[in-house]
Amino acid sequence: MVTRIGGLATGMDIDTMVLKLMQAERAPLDKLNQQKQSIEWKRDSYREVYSQFLTFRNSAFDMKLQSSYLAKQATSDDETAVYASATAAAVEGNHEIKVTQLAKSAMLNSGSALGVNNRSATMSQLGLAAESTLTVAGERGVTAIQVKPTDKISDVVANINNKARLTGVTASYDETLDRFFFNNALTGADSKIEIKSTNAALLDTVMKLPGSASQTGKGQTITMGRAYAGGLLDRVLTKPEGSTSPLPDQKLRLVHDNMTYDFVIKESTSIGDLIDSINSSDLGKLGVSAQLNSDNKLVIFNPDDDKPIEFQEISSGPQLDDVDLLVDLGVLTSSGTSAITSVSNQDYSKITVNGINANIEYNGIPVSYKTNSFEINGVSFTARNLTSQAVKISVANDTDKVFANIKSFVDSYNALVESVNKKTSEARFRDFLPLTAEQRKDMKEDEIKRWEEKAKSGLLKSDTILTGALQNMRNSLNNAIGGLPANSLNQLLQIGIKTGNYMEQGKLYIDETKLRKAIAEQPDQVMAMFTADDKDRNTDRADGLAVRMYDQAERIMNQLKETAGTSLSGPTDYLQGKELQRLEDRIKAMTTRLTAVEDRYYRQFTAMEKYINQLNSQSAWLAQQFSTKQ
């Protein structure tokens, strides 16, 4: 770094002098920066146009699809009973549908008020004298919860809902109605709610569930010998003392009614995970449930004591001699004898309710569905109410939808044409170059804004890429479509779409009446005009209008990408990027050179100051010598 000394000896403002000298030196650098800024602005303008072509290309893609022209409309003469909507695959014509039964979900609730009207009331207040097991099952599986006399109603509801993902059954309690409610969101005959307990009083006296649906049976409760001190979070497998190696996966097999059910147990599997796996399995759907009792021991409930459950350990890969799954579960002792503490046969009460399917008659044909929403012949129906007589459904072409699709495509094209024409016809103000940093210092913000608006204007004026693209698109729209059957519609004008005057540079106009008539009377020909595709990319003679426009947009987007790149492009992936990189290299080199020039000026002025200072010192000494002699 050059030491810079002010003009103490000469009295000159050296900094100002160097600044003015450097202004002339920096002129070429300012031109390079202005050139770089102009290219960046032009690149951004190209990318803006690229985005507009992308929007239009997406619109053209939609119009290449036959589904845009096959829209159907279904009309019900009684939407309060049956709502209908048509897909493109709907069969045109008139149909009849009669609803004789709506699909319903399984529902169960207390038959009478509990007598507390308070969700904080305890189960003992409802008459529960001892801890009991409540088993809740749905089409997904089964779970068992312990209900204690000290539990609040809200606790019981929360415990059931916490396992709803395993069963599909949720519970609630309403203080106003003072009743328990059990619900299954699934509709149809597969929807199921099964409430079961070995304590019949829990269902009948305490929860007051309707006894008319109650059944009884004999079940078997199997209590294992191991207590999991940490509760549900304890891991099933016990790692041998001193072992640091990961435990291999183990497999537990439960055999019930000559069927096998396998459960993989990993080193990380907790007893809670295993319980959830059993309860949500096909075995759980049969009513077999697992839980931890109050002593934190695994308990398996089998609803049929005539079909006992057998426990097996199945080898699945390498085993460790001192890892025994059945010992870890408390089924066996380490010496191989039974560790099960109790096997008790108990009577239980069970209440089961199921949902019902929707029953309908379609054109006189009876059919059943699990939900009230179903599809027949491409028409989506929603049954809302029972009907005493058939509801008439009519399916026809949706002229409005097809017209709207074509209009949207034309609007998208017009928006693109208008935007690109504006870019290519903007006035160019060549005297308004990008501002330098020094120029910006002396201008206000609004002055800078107005200046840059003029400096950016016309960067794409008469741009050959864009003007050529619009010309090609206009030609493609005006040229007849070849390859179609004789006397088919093959030009836009035939369906009521034409270009405006020359000054509007290709903007399209729609004769709504003529277009709607063509869609209604010749829908297949209108579709072919847009979607025909001969798969030959070397020519568009036999391509439909949407196919042509898609290809044209794709082509210009590739050109723009090669020229200006996109936001995802690397700095040297496109032509302007390479040019900007070259300018950046020149700017860096020139900046380094200017720093050296500035340092040289300061060295020269510093040397001059030193010499003048020496001369001044000598002059003062001589003057002193002369004055002394006199």
Side-chain angles (χ1 to χ4, degrees):
M1 181 68 182
V2 175
T3 301
R4 300 181 177 184
I5 301 175
L8 298 177
T10 62
M12 294 187 296
D13 186 350
I14 292 175
D15 288 335
T16 300
M17 294 177 68
V18 172
L19 179 62
K20 290 182 177 181
L21 288 170
M22 289 304 298
Q23 284 178 346
E25 297 283 353
R26 291 184 189 278
L29 178 62
D30 289 339
K31 288 183 179 180
L32 287 178
N33 279 317
Q34 287 174 321
Q35 187 178 352
K36 178 187 174 187
Q37 181 66 81
S38 293
I39 293 175
E40 288 175 341
W41 283 342
K42 189 171 184 178
R43 176 201 63 191
D44 294 343
S45 292
Y46 272 138
R47 289 183 178 181
E48 182 182 340
V49 175
Y50 178 94
S51 177
Q52 293 163 352
F53 270 96
L54 174 61
T55 299
F56 175 69
R57 189 199 66 176
N58 292 340
S59 178
F61 176 81
D62 291 339
M63 296 304 291
K64 287 171 57 178
L65 305 176
Q66 292 189 356
S67 57
S68 296
Y69 310 88
L70 297 176
K72 304 288 175 58
Q73 184 176 30
T75 305
S76 168
D77 66 0
D78 185 1
E79 290 194 350
T80 63
V82 180
Y83 175 79
S85 62
T87 67
V91 178
E92 296 177 39
N94 297 316
H95 311 276
E96 292 185 346
I97 189 165
K98 185 177 181 180
V99 182
T100 58
Q101 175 64 60
L102 290 173
K104 294 181 180 179
S105 61
M107 295 180 290
L108 177 66
N109 52 267
S110 303
S112 59
L114 305 182
V116 291
N117 296 98
N118 185 355
R119 63 188 299 106
S120 296
T122 63
M123 300 306 287
S124 64
Q125 290 177 265
L126 299 179
L128 184 66
E131 181 175 336
S132 304
T133 301
L134 181 69
T135 303
V136 180
E139 73 285 341
R140 296 182 191 172
V142 62
T143 189
I145 65 170
Q146 295 300 113
V147 182
K148 303 173 184 177
T150 56
D151 285 343
K152 299 176 184 177
I153 291 176
S154 58
D155 295 331
V156 176
V157 168
N159 290 338
I160 294 171
N161 291 339
N162 286 340
K163 298 295 184 179
R165 61 184 176 83
L166 301 177
T167 63
V169 178
T170 58
S172 60
Y173 169 79
D174 183 82
E175 290 184 336
T176 304
L177 299 177
D178 194 28
R179 286 171 168 81
F180 279 103
F181 295 87
F182 294 87
N183 290 280
N184 190 320
L186 184 71
T187 60
D190 290 341
S191 177
K192 170 186 171 183
I193 297 176
E194 183 180 275
I195 309 296
K196 183 167 50 183
S197 178
T198 54
N199 182 356
L202 175 60
L203 305 185
D204 300 334
T205 307
V206 177
M207 304 184 83
K208 297 188 184 302
L209 299 178
S212 60
S214 180
Q215 299 172 315
T216 59
K218 287 186 176 294
Q220 188 179 66
T221 301
I222 308 168
T223 305
M224 312 303 167
R226 175 183 171 183
Y228 293 87
L232 295 172
L233 298 179
D234 266 5
R235 294 185 180 182
V236 175
L237 300 179
T238 302
K239 205 164 194 175
E241 187 175 351
S243 173
T244 58
S245 301
L247 295 177
D249 293 350
Q250 309 292 303
K251 185 181 288 185
L252 172 68
R253 172 170 290 176
L254 301 183
V255 183
H256 178 260
D257 194 21
N258 295 321
M259 297 293 292
T260 60
Y261 305 88
D262 293 341
F263 303 93
V264 175
I265 299 176
K266 301 178 179 294
E267 180 180 348
S268 60
T269 301
S270 69
I271 187 61
D273 295 333
L274 177 59
I275 288 172
D276 285 349
S277 296
I278 294 173
N279 291 341
S280 60
S281 69
D282 289 339
L283 184 61
K285 293 176 183 178
L286 296 176
V288 174
S289 64
Q291 67 178 96
L292 286 187
N293 65 10
S294 56
D295 295 327
N296 281 333
K297 293 182 178 180
L298 178 64
V299 176
I300 303 290
F301 176 76
N302 176 10
D304 191 342
D305 60 359
D306 289 333
K307 299 174 182 176
I309 293 177
E310 180 184 347
F311 299 85
Q312 298 177 2
E313 179 180 3
I314 305 301
S315 175
S316 57
Q319 304 290 306
L320 295 179
D321 293 338
D322 47 0
V323 174
D324 193 322
L325 175 59
L326 297 184
V327 172
D328 286 340
L329 285 171
V331 177
L332 298 176
T333 65
S334 57
S335 60
T337 60
S338 175
I340 294 176
T341 58
S342 68
V343 178
S344 59
N345 295 330
Q346 296 172 295
D347 293 336
Y348 63 84
S349 293
K350 178 176 70 172
I351 299 173
T352 304
V353 291
N354 291 95
I356 55 178
N357 287 341
N359 294 327
I360 64 106
E361 292 178 10
Y362 178 77
N363 290 345
I365 303 171
V367 63
S368 179
Y369 293 98
K370 294 179 181 180
T371 71
N372 291 314
S373 296
F374 45 90
E375 184 175 310
I376 304 175
N377 281 335
V379 179
S380 297
F381 295 97
T382 300
R384 293 173 170 173
N385 282 301
L386 301 180
T387 60
S388 57
Q389 58 186 12
V391 175
K392 289 181 173 55
I393 308 293
S394 61
V395 180
N397 286 326
D398 191 347
T399 304
D400 290 339
K401 183 65 179 294
V402 178
F403 175 84
N405 289 339
I406 294 176
K407 184 178 184 303
S408 177
F409 172 70
V410 170
D411 289 344
S412 179
Y413 173 78
N414 286 339
L416 175 67
V417 169
E418 182 178 356
S419 177
V420 174
N421 280 330
K422 182 179 178 181
K423 289 283 187 185
T424 57
S425 60
E426 274 184 334
R428 184 78 174 100
F429 301 95
R430 298 188 180 279
D431 292 337
F432 287 80
L433 299 175
L435 295 169
T436 66
E438 290 297 321
Q439 289 172 330
R440 285 175 173 273
K441 290 179 181 179
D442 299 328
M443 298 174 68
K444 297 179 180 178
E445 189 171 337
D446 59 335
E447 292 175 331
I448 295 174
K449 182 179 178 181
R450 288 195 298 271
W451 181 282
E452 290 192 341
E453 285 177 354
K454 289 186 176 295
K456 293 178 181 180
S457 176
L459 289 175
L460 299 181
K461 183 176 177 62
S462 301
D463 184 85
T464 55
I465 296 177
L466 301 182
T467 55
L470 289 188
Q471 183 60 49
N472 290 336
M473 293 173 74
R474 285 196 291 270
N475 291 339
S476 292
L477 287 174
N478 290 327
N479 292 339
I481 302 162
L484 298 178
N487 301 319
S488 292
L489 299 173
N490 63 0
Q491 284 188 305
L492 277 179
L493 191 60
Q494 293 173 314
I495 61 172
I497 302 177
K498 61 181 181 180
T499 57
N501 61 51
Y502 177 79
M503 297 299 294
E504 292 174 308
Q505 297 178 305
K507 186 175 181 181
L508 297 177
Y509 288 88
I510 296 176
D511 182 333
E512 182 172 339
T513 302
K514 192 171 182 178
L515 177 57
R516 286 185 181 277
K517 186 174 185 293
I519 294 171
E521 296 178 358
Q522 298 166 294
D524 293 341
Q525 293 186 37
V526 172
M527 179 173 69
M529 279 188 60
F530 286 88
T531 63
D533 188 353
D534 64 358
K535 305 300 182 182
D536 182 359
R537 297 282 75 89
N538 295 318
T539 175
D540 65 2
R541 190 189 70 82
D543 290 333
L545 300 173
V547 176
R548 291 177 178 181
M549 291 300 96
Y550 181 89
D551 291 344
Q552 292 282 3
E554 185 80 6
R555 194 172 297 116
I556 184 60
M557 286 171 62
N558 289 335
Q559 284 184 269
L560 291 173
K561 189 174 181 180
E562 290 175 1
T563 301
T566 68
S567 58
L568 300 178
S569 300
T572 59
D573 292 342
Y574 56 101
L575 296 176
Q576 288 182 326
K578 293 176 182 178
E579 179 63 23
L580 287 171
Q581 189 66 52
R582 286 193 291 268
L583 284 172
E584 186 64 34
D585 293 341
R586 291 179 62 189
I587 289 170
K588 287 181 179 178
M590 187 169 290
T591 300
T592 300
R593 188 185 70 79
L594 289 176
T595 300
V597 170
E598 187 177 39
D599 288 343
R600 177 168 57 81
Y601 280 136
Y602 272 106
R603 283 195 299 269
Q604 290 173 340
F605 279 110
T606 299
M608 181 185 70
E609 287 285 333
K610 287 181 179 179
Y611 292 140
I612 292 177
N613 191 47
Q614 290 175 359
L615 289 175
N616 288 338
S617 297
Q618 291 175 354
S619 176
W621 180 81
L622 289 172
Q624 183 180 9
Q625 294 301 316
F626 286 131
S627 62
T628 301
K629 291 181 180 180
Q630 291 175 356

